[in-house]
Amino acid sequence: MLNPFLQSTKGRFTACPAAPAEPDGGEPPSPDALTCSLTVPGEAYSAQIARRTVRSVLHAHRLDAIGAAAEQVAGELVATSWHLDPGRSLYLSVRYRDDALRLTVYDGHAPHSHPRLAAHCEARRRAALRLMAVVVRECGGAWGFGESREPDGGTRTWATLPRTGALGYGEPDSGRSRRPG
């Protein structure tokens, strides 16, 4: 029986098909094709990994203009998730759809069943994400968090940045800076 993963090439079989000489005519991927996910260690330095990854992915998809806001939000999401659930891996998802960038971080911090503990934990997460909330608001986006639908549970924290709002974030705007402060 032939292995379905092997491809025939003029009478012989190879495990990997040959790559085209120049895929897609050398054109960079379109913004609408942006979908990137990665798992980072539950460590303090992971926020920097997230920021650099987001910068690179946005550049590859010709979305550099929204990079300042996206990098700030990605770093804040990962740093907060690490702070609230240190030592466990964090999962970052970056997607661009309908002219908006959506950043999502999944952490292993499960919701509390006791109402007071749940309220306290929610307040801690909101307080830790104050800076990110300002950036998202300045860009006209939205953010939130809740129980993760992943099999291992935990918390899903997300932010959406509309492209038009994130354009030029941090640049002078009629004599004032759009940086939070």
Side-chain angles (χ1 to χ4, degrees), residues 30-118:
S30 76
D32 289 328
L34 192 161
T35 179
C36 176
S37 301
L38 86 140
T39 302
V40 295
E43 301 294 337
Y45 60 82
S46 292
Q48 183 173 353
I49 294 171
R51 287 190 300 270
R52 287 182 177 174
T53 300
V54 166
R55 180 185 318 136
S56 294
V57 168
L58 291 177
H59 177 72
H61 290 271
R62 297 175 289 183
L63 289 167
D64 297 285
I66 65 171
E71 288 175 48
Q72 183 71 44
V73 169
E76 296 294 321
L77 285 170
V78 170
T80 297
S81 293
W82 160 75
H83 183 72
L84 296 173
D85 192 32
R88 287 205 215 163
S89 294
L90 305 170
Y91 180 78
L92 170 65
S93 171
V94 183
R95 300 194 187 297
Y96 188 82
R97 299 286 182 276
D98 302 322
D99 222 19
L101 186 70
R102 183 174 180 104
L103 300 128
T104 307
V105 171
Y106 296 87
D107 63 55
H109 188 82
H112 299 281
S113 58
H114 191 280
R116 278 192 226 155
L117 283 176

Side-chain angles (χ1 to χ4, degrees), residues 73 77 100-103 132-133 135-145 157-162:
V73 169
L77 285 170
L101 186 70
R102 183 174 180 104
L103 300 128
M132 186 212 65
V135 174
V136 172
R137 184 177 66 237
E138 286 286 320
C139 293
W143 71 279
F145 58 88
T157 308
W158 58 271
T160 302
L161 300 171

